[in-house]
Amino acid sequence: MKKLIFILSIISFNSVAQEYSNLRTNLEHFVDQSIEVREAVMPTAQEFGFESYQMDSLNQLISFRDSMHLQYVVAVLAEHGWLGTSVIGKKANISIFLAIQQAPRDQVRERYFPMLEASAKRGESSLAQMATMKDKILVNKKQPQVYGTQWNYVDDKSMLFPLEDVNSVNEKRVEVGLQPLTDEELETAQSKYQ
C-alpha cells in the first residue's frame, strides 16, 4: 500500500511539474512575441510615420497579441494565482506582470495587483514591478504616485506625474530596487494633474 501511495505521488508530482513547464513555455513565448512586435515600432514609424497605414497595422497587431496574452494570463491566475519565480522562472513571471500591466482597462490592474503585491512581498516577484503597477493605478486615478515610475509628455518634454512625497520618493525607490531619481528628474515632477 505504501508503495502504491509513493508511486501515485510521483505520478502526481510529475504531472504538476509538466503543467508548470508548459505554462512557463507558453508565458515565455508571449514575452518573446511582445518584444518582437514592439521592436518594429520605431523603425516602422521612422520609415512610414506615426500616422501611416503601416503603423496602424502594427498597432493592431500589438493590441491583438496583448489581448491574447492577457486572456491566457487571466486564465492562469484564475487557476494557479500569481505564480512566482521559484515555480515558473523569472521570464515567465515577468510575462504575467506585463500582461496585467499592459491591460487596456484599469480594473484589470486593480483586480490583480493584490496578487502581485503578495507575491513580491514573499520574494517571488519583483518589488520594482509591484511599485510600477501601483504607480500606474494611482496615476490613472489622478492620484499622486508613490515611487515615481510614471512619466508624462508635456510640450514634448518628459515630466514625472505628480508625486506623493518628493522628499521620500528616492528612499521608497531604493526599498523596491529602483535607482534613485536625479535632482533634474525630480524637478520635472508636476505639482498637479493637467
Side-chain angles (χ1 to χ4, degrees), residues 113 129-139 146-147:
F113 177 76
Q129 290 171 0
M130 178 199 73
T132 301
M133 189 177 293
K134 180 174 185 72
D135 277 356
K136 187 165 187 173
I137 290 168
L138 290 169
V139 164
V146 176
Y147 300 97

Side-chain angles (χ1 to χ4, degrees), residues 135 139 144-154 157-166 169-170 173 180-194:
D135 277 356
V139 164
Q145 59 179 325
V146 176
Y147 300 97
T149 62
Q150 303 299 299
W151 293 78
N152 189 17
Y153 288 93
V154 178
K157 293 181 184 172
S158 183
M159 300 179 70
L160 276 167
F161 277 105
L163 296 166
E164 180 181 79
D165 185 356
V166 175
V169 69
N170 278 335
R173 287 176 66 87
L181 295 166
T182 65
D183 289 339
E184 292 81 22
E185 289 171 327
L186 288 171
E187 287 174 11
T188 71
Q190 297 171 301
S191 59
K192 61 183 180 177
Y193 285 92
Q194 297 179 356

Side-chain angles (χ1 to χ4, degrees), residues 38-66:
R38 282 173 168 82
E39 284 178 343
V41 168
M42 287 314 293
T44 303
Q46 288 170 347
E47 184 174 348
F48 301 104
F50 281 105
E51 303 298 322
S52 66
Y53 168 78
Q54 291 83 353
M55 277 303 297
D56 286 345
S57 296
L58 186 57
N59 285 328
Q60 287 176 8
L61 178 60
I62 289 170
S63 292
F64 174 74
R65 287 189 177 174
D66 285 354

Side-chain angles (χ1 to χ4, degrees), residues 1 4-5 34 68 77 79 96 141 150 164 182-183:
M1 184 65 164
L4 178 60
I5 292 172
S34 180
M68 299 302 293
L77 292 171
E79 187 171 341
I96 294 172
K141 290 180 171 185
Q150 303 299 299
E164 180 181 79
T182 65
D183 289 339

Side-chain angles (χ1 to χ4, degrees), residues 4 6-8 33 43 61 69 78 84-85 92 95 98 111 115 146 157-158 160 190:
L4 178 60
F6 178 73
I7 291 170
L8 289 175
Q33 281 188 330
L61 178 60
H69 187 188
T85 55
S95 178
L98 290 174
R111 179 175 182 185
M115 287 179 158
V146 176
K157 293 181 184 172
S158 183
L160 276 167
Q190 297 171 301

